[in-house]
Amino acid sequence: MKRYKVFSKGLISPFRSMQYKIGEKYVCTDFSDNVNTACSRGFYATKIDGIPYSWNISGNKEIYLCEVSGKKVEYDQYKMRYEKIKIIRKCTKKEIIEASKKVEKKLGYKLSEVLFPINPLLIKPKKVSKKDIENLRKWVSVSASVSASVSASVPDSVYASVSAVVSASVSASVYVVVSASVSASVSAVVSAVFTNIKKWEYIEHEKGVNPFQSCIDLWNRGFIISFDGATYRLHSGKKAKIVYEIKNDDLKGE
């Protein structure tokens, strides 16, 4: 069977720090076939939808196609262990995105965007438009609800891994410059990948319409939002430069 395995750079297992080699066949002589244990003796690899769990925690990450055989315990989509494994080759980003898109309809979320989310600070800075300001105004009206709404609406089995991967994709400068606003924005972006949710908890909205789309649109345009209690700001570019600011009272009055 073909599976995918995530490695830290240099074909090193992110959990056990074991060094692997392409083409070499590995056999676990004391394989654990206990179906009630998620983590035990064996070699771990997953189908395409199981990648997010280890993709998030492994630092400089690479994805390899591998072949598994022998005894197996497939505990859930993130925890699949096998008696035998052979690493075939490194996968390209394009290949993983294409494989992800093939299963997205069935999964109900955009796996390709979970694995390779947009970092807004890497988007070429744009001039702030009237539409951007209107989206900022809309965001202020719903931002207080987003974290609780998304965590309650998204299945627990994928929420933790998805939100962690999206958070990890944002450069350190976001957290340094606008740390107070990142959490809500990340929750909004997480909501964007779940295409099968038509009604979001704890907020009134038109069925089938994402109530947090205003932040998602700003994010995809390359803007991060910050608020210091009095002034809202839009940041853009690698250094999160302030490109627009407006007092809270003025924004509400527009």
Side-chain angles (χ1 to χ4, degrees), residues 73-124:
V73 173
E74 296 182 338
Y75 184 82
D76 59 22
Q77 71 267 43
Y78 304 122
K79 298 287 187 176
M80 297 181 173
R81 68 177 177 270
Y82 303 92
E83 181 184 15
K84 303 174 183 178
I85 192 170
K86 181 172 74 172
I87 311 304
I88 300 174
R89 60 175 175 80
K90 182 179 176 180
C91 297
T92 66
K93 178 179 177 179
K94 180 180 179 181
E95 178 183 359
I96 295 300
I97 289 176
E98 289 177 350
S100 297
K101 287 183 175 180
K102 288 180 180 178
V103 300
E104 287 179 346
K105 185 175 181 179
K106 180 179 179 180
L107 293 175
Y109 65 92
K110 299 177 182 178
L111 177 61
S112 57
E113 293 188 18
V114 171
L115 296 174
F116 300 103
I118 294 171
N119 183 336
L121 299 187
L122 297 183
I123 296 175
K124 185 177 180 179

Side-chain angles (χ1 to χ4, degrees), residues 9 17 36 38-39 54 61-62 73 79 83-84 87 95 109 117 119 125 139 150 178 187 221 232 235 249:
K9 209 161 190 178
S17 299
N36 297 314
C39 298
S54 51
K61 306 168 292 277
E62 299 173 332
V73 173
K79 298 287 187 176
E83 181 184 15
K84 303 174 183 178
I87 311 304
E95 178 183 359
Y109 65 92
N119 183 336
W139 172 242
V150 174
V178 290
S187 292
R221 285 260 298 159
Y232 280 94
H235 302 255
D249 291 340

